Amino acid sequence: MMTELSLNILDIVENSIRANATLIEIQISIDTLQDQLTIVIKDNGNGMSEAMLQQVEDPFYTTRTTRTVGLGIPFFKQAALMTGGSFHITSQKDNGTLVNATFRLSHIDRMPIGNMTSTIYTLLTLHTEINFVYTYSFNKALFTLDTRQIRLLIGDVPINSPEVLNFLSEYLNDNISSVNEGIDL
């Protein structure tokens, strides 16, 4: 099992990339009053057939030829359910996939969110052709990083250039800290 939710998110987003997604939305919502953490990952990739969707939560099913198990979705589901949360995945062939997991925020078995700045940084570095929308909210405060807007601002400069990546890393860290009011989750 993965030790941080950010690693689960990275794994699921990599699934979206393998499914030819060009737009991937990642939402993390924390509501301390409801004692809830919600993670939503939505893509516009190839989607899955009904038959594949029925199998995707089975750890002994994978479409990869390099291994015989697919643990990303099953582990993510288990992590949510262990906290008294929920897990839902919907997909439609040629219309993308939506993964929605909720966690009881205060539950002792809830894994830490982990380093989402590193996760987003990794995705931006390795997958420059894909648009990402990352939204992070804590109670009523939120911020969004949308690479489509970043691309408009930087013009011909590659999004994975060191200067842009350094800016984005600082932007993510500063905004997460500001939205979290300094609380580490």
Side-chain angles (χ1 to χ4, degrees):
M1 183 174 264
M2 297 182 192
T3 58
E4 297 177 349
L5 294 171
S6 62
L7 298 175
N8 286 112
I9 292 167
L10 182 62
D11 183 68
I12 291 168
V13 169
E14 289 292 338
N15 290 342
S16 295
I17 292 165
R18 280 189 297 280
N20 299 314
T22 58
L23 175 63
I24 301 170
E25 300 174 52
I26 304 165
Q27 300 171 11
I28 296 179
S29 303
I30 298 164
D31 186 332
T32 58
L33 294 176
Q34 297 293 320
D35 193 30
Q36 185 169 306
L37 163 66
T38 303
I39 298 173
V40 177
I41 303 164
K42 179 181 177 184
D43 71 53
N44 69 346
N46 296 336
M48 292 180 270
S49 67
E50 192 63 38
M52 186 183 289
L53 188 59
Q54 296 299 320
Q55 295 177 303
V56 76
E57 295 176 32
D58 179 352
F60 300 105
Y61 172 79
T62 184
T63 58
R64 291 186 189 178
T65 57
T66 56
R67 64 181 194 213
T68 59
V69 293
L71 299 175
I73 295 289
F75 275 166
F76 195 51
K77 178 181 179 180
Q78 180 185 2
L81 297 179
M82 282 183 358
T83 69
S86 64
F87 179 87
H88 303 285
I89 183 168
T90 58
S91 187
Q92 189 174 31
K93 197 75 172 144
D94 300 321
N95 282 326
T97 300
L98 175 77
V99 175
N100 185 326
T102 61
F103 302 78
R104 206 168 95 224
L105 189 59
S106 65
H107 197 281
I108 193 167
D109 290 329
R110 183 191 55 86
M111 291 185 285
I113 294 171
N115 192 336
M116 279 305 298
T117 297
S118 289
T119 298
I120 300 299
Y121 186 93
T122 299
L123 292 168
L124 295 176
T125 302
L126 299 176
H127 305 289
T128 59
E129 72 286 359
I130 295 173
N131 286 307
F132 294 96
V133 178
Y134 174 56
T135 303
Y136 182 88
S137 66
F138 182 85
N139 294 331
K140 301 282 185 212
L142 72 89
F143 84 95
T144 299
L145 173 95
D146 187 333
T147 58
R148 296 169 297 185
Q149 293 173 345
I150 300 297
R151 290 177 207 285
L152 289 174
L153 293 172
I154 63 176
D156 293 335
V157 178
I159 201 160
N160 66 345
S161 71
E163 298 85 7
V164 173
L165 287 173
N166 284 338
F167 166 77
L168 292 174
S169 180
E170 288 179 23
Y171 176 81
L172 287 164
N173 280 327
D174 291 349
N175 279 285
I176 288 171
S177 180
S178 175
V179 167
N180 276 354
E181 302 169 359
I183 299 170
D184 187 23
L185 297 168

